[in-house]
Short mmCIF file of all heavy atoms in Angstrom, two decimals:
data_model
loop_
_atom_site.label_atom_id
_atom_site.label_comp_id
_atom_site.label_asym_id
_atom_site.label_seq_id
_atom_site.Cartn_x
_atom_site.Cartn_y
_atom_site.Cartn_z
N ALA A 608 0.30 -22.24 5.46
CA ALA A 608 -0.39 -22.42 6.69
C ALA A 608 0.54 -22.75 7.83
O ALA A 608 0.51 -22.14 8.94
CB ALA A 608 -1.44 -23.40 6.61
N TYR A 609 1.47 -23.65 7.58
CA TYR A 609 2.40 -24.04 8.56
C TYR A 609 3.38 -22.92 8.95
O TYR A 609 3.78 -22.70 10.08
CB TYR A 609 3.23 -25.21 8.12
CG TYR A 609 2.56 -26.58 8.31
CD1 TYR A 609 2.13 -27.30 7.24
CD2 TYR A 609 2.27 -27.00 9.63
CE1 TYR A 609 1.47 -28.55 7.41
CE2 TYR A 609 1.56 -28.20 9.85
CZ TYR A 609 1.20 -28.96 8.76
OH TYR A 609 0.52 -30.14 8.95
N TYR A 610 3.71 -22.06 7.94
CA TYR A 610 4.59 -20.94 8.20
C TYR A 610 3.90 -19.96 9.15
O TYR A 610 4.53 -19.44 10.06
CB TYR A 610 4.97 -20.15 6.94
CG TYR A 610 5.53 -18.76 7.19
CD1 TYR A 610 6.84 -18.66 7.71
CD2 TYR A 610 4.70 -17.65 7.11
CE1 TYR A 610 7.37 -17.43 8.04
CE2 TYR A 610 5.25 -16.43 7.42
CZ TYR A 610 6.57 -16.28 7.89
OH TYR A 610 7.06 -15.05 8.26
N SER A 611 2.55 -19.70 8.93
CA SER A 611 1.89 -18.73 9.68
C SER A 611 1.87 -19.11 11.18
O SER A 611 2.14 -18.30 12.11
CB SER A 611 0.47 -18.43 9.21
OG SER A 611 -0.31 -19.63 9.35
N ARG A 612 1.62 -20.37 11.47
CA ARG A 612 1.58 -20.82 12.82
C ARG A 612 3.01 -20.92 13.41
O ARG A 612 3.23 -20.66 14.60
CB ARG A 612 0.87 -22.16 13.02
CG ARG A 612 0.53 -22.51 14.48
CD ARG A 612 -0.43 -23.65 14.60
NE ARG A 612 0.26 -24.92 14.27
CZ ARG A 612 -0.38 -26.13 14.28
NH1 ARG A 612 -1.59 -26.24 14.78
NH2 ARG A 612 0.34 -27.20 14.01
N ALA A 613 3.97 -21.40 12.58
CA ALA A 613 5.35 -21.51 13.09
C ALA A 613 5.85 -20.09 13.48
O ALA A 613 6.53 -19.92 14.50
CB ALA A 613 6.24 -22.07 11.96
N TYR A 614 5.53 -19.09 12.64
CA TYR A 614 5.96 -17.76 12.99
C TYR A 614 5.32 -17.26 14.32
O TYR A 614 5.99 -16.58 15.16
CB TYR A 614 5.66 -16.80 11.87
CG TYR A 614 6.08 -15.39 12.07
CD1 TYR A 614 7.43 -15.05 12.22
CD2 TYR A 614 5.09 -14.33 12.03
CE1 TYR A 614 7.80 -13.75 12.49
CE2 TYR A 614 5.48 -13.03 12.23
CZ TYR A 614 6.83 -12.72 12.43
OH TYR A 614 7.20 -11.41 12.62
N ALA A 615 4.06 -17.59 14.48
CA ALA A 615 3.35 -17.18 15.69
C ALA A 615 3.99 -17.87 16.94
O ALA A 615 4.24 -17.29 17.96
CB ALA A 615 1.86 -17.55 15.61
N TYR A 616 4.27 -19.17 16.78
CA TYR A 616 4.98 -19.89 17.90
C TYR A 616 6.33 -19.27 18.15
O TYR A 616 6.75 -19.09 19.29
CB TYR A 616 5.16 -21.36 17.51
CG TYR A 616 3.97 -22.25 17.78
CD1 TYR A 616 3.46 -23.11 16.83
CD2 TYR A 616 3.37 -22.23 19.00
CE1 TYR A 616 2.41 -23.96 17.05
CE2 TYR A 616 2.23 -23.06 19.28
CZ TYR A 616 1.78 -23.90 18.26
OH TYR A 616 0.69 -24.74 18.54
N GLN A 617 7.09 -18.91 17.09
CA GLN A 617 8.33 -18.34 17.32
C GLN A 617 8.28 -17.03 18.15
O GLN A 617 9.08 -16.80 19.05
CB GLN A 617 9.04 -18.05 15.94
CG GLN A 617 10.46 -17.44 16.10
CD GLN A 617 10.98 -16.92 14.82
OE1 GLN A 617 10.19 -16.41 13.94
NE2 GLN A 617 12.25 -17.04 14.55
N GLN A 618 7.35 -16.18 17.69
CA GLN A 618 7.24 -14.88 18.43
C GLN A 618 6.74 -15.02 19.88
O GLN A 618 6.96 -14.24 20.72
CB GLN A 618 6.29 -13.89 17.63
CG GLN A 618 6.77 -13.62 16.28
CD GLN A 618 8.17 -12.95 16.25
OE1 GLN A 618 8.41 -11.98 16.92
NE2 GLN A 618 9.11 -13.54 15.55
N ASN A 621 7.76 -20.07 21.82
CA ASN A 621 7.60 -21.56 21.87
C ASN A 621 8.42 -22.12 20.71
O ASN A 621 7.84 -22.54 19.70
CB ASN A 621 6.07 -21.96 21.76
CG ASN A 621 5.92 -23.44 22.00
OD1 ASN A 621 6.81 -24.23 21.97
ND2 ASN A 621 4.62 -23.81 22.21
N ALA A 624 7.84 -25.80 19.18
CA ALA A 624 6.63 -25.91 18.28
C ALA A 624 6.90 -25.20 16.98
O ALA A 624 6.45 -25.68 15.96
CB ALA A 624 5.42 -25.30 19.00
N ALA A 625 7.60 -24.09 17.05
CA ALA A 625 7.89 -23.37 15.77
C ALA A 625 8.73 -24.25 14.86
O ALA A 625 8.52 -24.25 13.64
CB ALA A 625 8.66 -22.07 16.11
N VAL A 626 9.74 -24.92 15.39
CA VAL A 626 10.60 -25.76 14.63
C VAL A 626 9.79 -26.90 14.00
O VAL A 626 9.96 -27.26 12.85
CB VAL A 626 11.75 -26.35 15.46
CG1 VAL A 626 12.57 -27.36 14.66
CG2 VAL A 626 12.68 -25.22 15.86
N ASP A 628 6.55 -27.06 13.29
CA ASP A 628 5.68 -26.56 12.19
C ASP A 628 6.52 -26.21 10.94
O ASP A 628 6.12 -26.52 9.82
CB ASP A 628 4.83 -25.35 12.60
CG ASP A 628 3.50 -25.75 13.20
OD1 ASP A 628 3.20 -26.91 13.24
OD2 ASP A 628 2.81 -24.88 13.77
N ALA A 629 7.66 -25.53 11.15
CA ALA A 629 8.51 -25.17 10.02
C ALA A 629 8.98 -26.46 9.29
O ALA A 629 9.05 -26.44 8.08
CB ALA A 629 9.69 -24.39 10.51
N LEU A 642 10.02 -19.88 5.61
CA LEU A 642 10.02 -21.09 6.50
C LEU A 642 11.40 -21.35 6.99
O LEU A 642 11.56 -21.68 8.18
CB LEU A 642 9.51 -22.29 5.75
CG LEU A 642 8.01 -22.51 5.70
CD1 LEU A 642 7.59 -23.55 4.66
CD2 LEU A 642 7.40 -22.87 7.06
N VAL A 645 12.26 -19.03 9.98
CA VAL A 645 11.71 -19.43 11.22
C VAL A 645 12.43 -20.74 11.79
O VAL A 645 12.73 -20.83 12.94
CB VAL A 645 10.18 -19.73 11.07
CG1 VAL A 645 9.58 -20.23 12.38
CG2 VAL A 645 9.44 -18.39 10.73
N SER A 649 14.50 -20.32 15.18
CA SER A 649 13.84 -21.01 16.30
C SER A 649 14.68 -22.19 16.75
O SER A 649 14.76 -22.42 17.99
CB SER A 649 12.51 -21.55 15.86
OG SER A 649 11.62 -20.43 15.53
#
Side-chain angles (χ1 to χ4, degrees):
Y609 278 114
Y610 166 75
S611 66
R612 194 171 71 177
Y614 181 60
Y616 275 132
Q617 181 193 35
Q618 298 304 306
N621 187 344
V626 172
D628 270 354
L642 275 167
V645 174
S649 296

